[in-house]
Amino acid sequence: MDDTTFRQLWRRFAALVHEHRGELNDLDAAIGDGDHGSNMDRGLAKVVDAFDASPEGGLRSDAKLVGMTLMSTVGGASGALWGSAMLKFGASLPDESEVSWAGFVQALADFVAALATRGGAVVGDKTMMDVFIPVTEGLVASSAEDQTALTQALEQARQASDATSALVAKRGRAAYLGERSVGHVDPGSRSSALWFQALLESQATVSA
């Protein structure tokens, strides 16, 4: 992946979150504050603004730009989680304009490890980790950079997000609802699935 594609990934993620902002807010309203879509939309719009205002300067610096922007503009736990983990993502990328697919996937694995350290969530807690952990593990195991692998990853992400509906929330505000959180999809898992959709679509643009 090169830095142009990396920026396309985040621009596409911003567009998808904006498109699904209402859905994400509705999911969050059922078990949280009701602002997950608006929060992520605001932060990602700032990421796009930051990209527009700065020339491509390498993968590491772009990832740091994303992390710092999300940390300072997205409220609640999402800003801290996405922001701090993206700083780790950047630290794992080369200070160059391109990285191998294996290097990108390893940086993604480091991103997920940073999320786990920061948030303490595991699979089954009804959080974004129900998507990021299994899908990233699948990409690491596959090591294939092709549309089939990414399409499978997106389908796995969507299924993992849907599966959070059956779980009892164990983290964050939703945990206060206990059994009453069952029957609602976790909004963080849904936005995480959108990130994998953005990854697939940005890579498809490169391959076209």
Side-chain angles (χ1 to χ4, degrees), residues 17 22 50 68 73 81 84 93-94 101 114 137 142 145-146 149 187 189 191:
V17 167
M68 295 299 291
T73 58
L81 287 168
S84 60
L93 291 171
W101 180 249
E137 288 178 346
S142 166
E145 181 189 8
D146 57 42
S189 74
S191 56

Side-chain angles (χ1 to χ4, degrees), residues 47-86:
V47 168
V48 172
D49 289 345
F51 282 163
D52 290 342
S54 63
E56 294 175 3
L59 290 163
R60 182 178 296 174
S61 60
D62 275 356
K64 181 179 179 181
L65 182 62
V66 172
M68 295 299 291
T69 303
L70 293 180
M71 194 177 297
S72 63
T73 58
V74 177
S78 294
L81 287 168
W82 276 96
S84 60
M86 276 307 297

Side-chain angles (χ1 to χ4, degrees), residues 27-139:
L27 291 174
D28 196 28
I31 59 174
D33 294 331
D35 59 1
H36 181 66
S38 297
N39 261 330
M40 292 295 292
D41 184 40
R42 179 177 59 252
L44 289 165
K46 294 296 184 184
V47 168
V48 172
D49 289 345
F51 282 163
D52 290 342
S54 63
E56 294 175 3
L59 290 163
R60 182 178 296 174
S61 60
D62 275 356
K64 181 179 179 181
L65 182 62
V66 172
M68 295 299 291
T69 303
L70 293 180
M71 194 177 297
S72 63
T73 58
V74 177
S78 294
L81 287 168
W82 276 96
S84 60
M86 276 307 297
L87 296 182
K88 180 60 179 176
F89 196 121
S92 300
L93 291 171
D95 191 20
E96 300 170 358
S97 62
E98 189 168 356
V99 64
S100 67
W101 180 249
F104 176 81
V105 171
Q106 181 55 55
L108 178 60
D110 292 342
F111 166 85
V112 174
L115 282 176
T117 299
R118 179 86 185 199
V122 298
V123 172
D125 283 351
K126 200 181 181 87
T127 72
M128 63 193 296
M129 302 304 279
D130 285 291
V131 168
F132 265 109
I133 289 176
V135 178
T136 301
E137 288 178 346
L139 287 174

